[in-house]
């Protein structure tokens, strides 16, 4: 992966690639939000990224989100996105700390989030398992409309779009058909937000219409284990 780069250089490099992908796709840069996935990294690193101007951070684990939300409450303008599946009993942490939840795939979780949410509605994306992988979270494409209607009946939540994680692959172009399928599904449901693309394939995702890209490793390096 070449020389280790500073956080500033890593953010600049990703930003340049995001901007270039937007330009290739004929989309304004403002159409895409970079979600900096900070899971398993220490709060201090998020503080440094905030100092570089980054405001939107993604966390996978509800308790870790709770702890970082508390530890970094002094930082102005921080926006937390919960991007991993959550158990109903931990939904309260997401309801309290997050502005956007990318991984809604169960009605019981939606109900728990709805009960615990105060203030502005929690913006939610339904996670869709486009490839039908047995090991992955997410509803089937066919199940999206039913869950959408069920969640729409609940207070304090707003469904804004869809999320997918395509099968892992070395070649970013291998993700393209899954991103296209998600975009088509969202269009059919009248949903605008598309959370798709990680370090390996965020440029392809932007070309296919992603409005939220979830990038961790390219910004922060390998996660501590
Ligand atoms: C960890 C994670 C990411 C970030 O992956 P990178 O390959 O480090 O960019 C994105 N989305 C989800 C759901 C994740 O769990």
């Amino acid at each position: 992966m070449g020389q280790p780069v500073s956080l500033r250089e890593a953010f600049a490099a990703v930003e340049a690639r995001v901007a270039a992908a937007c330009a290739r796709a004929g989309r304004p840069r403002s159409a895409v939000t970079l979600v900096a996935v900070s899971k398993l990294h220490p709060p201090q690193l998020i503080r440094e990224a905030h100092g570089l101007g980054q405001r939107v951070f993604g966390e996978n684990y509800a308790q870790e989100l709770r702890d970082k939300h508390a530890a970094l409450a002094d930082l102005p303008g921080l926006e937390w996105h919960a991007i991993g599946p959550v158990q109903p009993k931990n939904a309260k942490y997401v309801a309290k700390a997050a502005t956007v939840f990318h991984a809604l795939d169960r009605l019981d979780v939606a109900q728990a989030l709805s009960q615990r949410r105060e203030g502005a509605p929690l913006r939610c994306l339904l996670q869709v398992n486009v490839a039908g992988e047995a090991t992955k979270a997410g509803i089937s494409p066919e199940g999206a409309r039913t869950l959408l209607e069920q969640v729409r009946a609940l207070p304090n939540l707003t469904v804004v779009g869809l999320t997918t994680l395509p099968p892992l692959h070395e070649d970013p172009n291998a993700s393209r058909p899954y991103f296209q399928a998600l975009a088509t599904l969202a269009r059919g449901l009248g949903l605008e937000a598309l959370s798709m693309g990680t370090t390996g394939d965020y440029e392809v995702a932007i070309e296919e219409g992603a409005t939220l890209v979830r990038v961790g490793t390219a910004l922060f390096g390998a996660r501590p284990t």
Side-chain angles (χ1 to χ4, degrees):
M1 292 286 282
Q3 294 292 312
V5 294
S6 70
L7 195 64
R8 181 182 296 277
E9 288 167 321
F11 268 83
V14 171
E15 175 54 38
R17 287 172 175 272
V18 168
C22 286
R24 278 199 301 282
R27 305 176 61 203
R29 171 64 188 86
S30 59
V32 179
T33 298
L34 174 63
V35 180
V37 176
S38 46
K39 67 176 179 224
L40 304 179
H41 290 296
Q44 181 55 33
L45 200 58
I46 299 172
R47 219 171 255 291
E48 286 172 33
H50 182 274
L52 297 172
Q54 181 66 26
R55 292 293 177 269
V56 182
F57 293 89
E59 289 285 339
N60 278 60
Y61 310 106
Q63 278 115 330
E64 187 178 347
L65 171 62
R66 172 198 64 195
D67 294 345
K68 286 176 171 168
H69 178 253
L72 298 168
D74 60 303
L75 293 182
L78 263 197
E79 199 183 301
W80 292 106
H81 288 211
I83 64 169
V86 61
Q87 297 298 316
K89 67 174 162 43
N90 292 331
K92 55 184 180 281
Y93 305 130
V94 171
K96 175 146 190 247
T99 56
V100 182
F101 178 45
H102 292 231
L104 188 56
D105 66 354
R106 291 166 52 168
L107 183 58
D108 59 349
V109 170
Q111 287 163 334
L113 289 168
S114 174
Q115 276 162 16
R116 295 296 192 132
R117 182 69 174 184
E118 292 169 17
L122 178 65
R123 281 176 275 150
C124 295
L125 292 89
L126 307 184
Q127 185 167 330
V128 183
N129 187 349
V130 177
E133 292 174 281
T135 54
K136 256 188 201 145
I139 49 171
S140 69
E142 298 74 32
R145 186 177 293 277
T146 301
L147 184 60
L148 174 63
E149 283 166 6
Q150 289 168 328
V151 176
R152 280 203 171 137
L154 300 172
N156 307 320
L157 306 179
T158 309
V159 181
V160 295
L162 303 178
T163 296
T164 201
L165 284 83
L168 277 180
H169 208 282
E170 286 287 309
D171 174 10
N173 277 302
S175 299
R176 199 181 291 278
Y178 302 103
F179 295 156
Q180 289 171 342
L182 193 76
T184 301
L185 184 63
R187 210 173 302 120
L189 296 168
L191 296 170
E192 285 183 0
L194 289 171
S195 172
M196 53 191 202
T198 65
T199 289
D201 54 16
Y202 65 93
E203 294 162 274
V204 169
I206 290 168
E207 289 169 11
E208 298 302 337
T211 64
L212 298 150
V213 289
R214 309 177 311 271
V215 179
T217 308
L219 295 171
F220 296 116
R223 282 178 279 278
T225 46

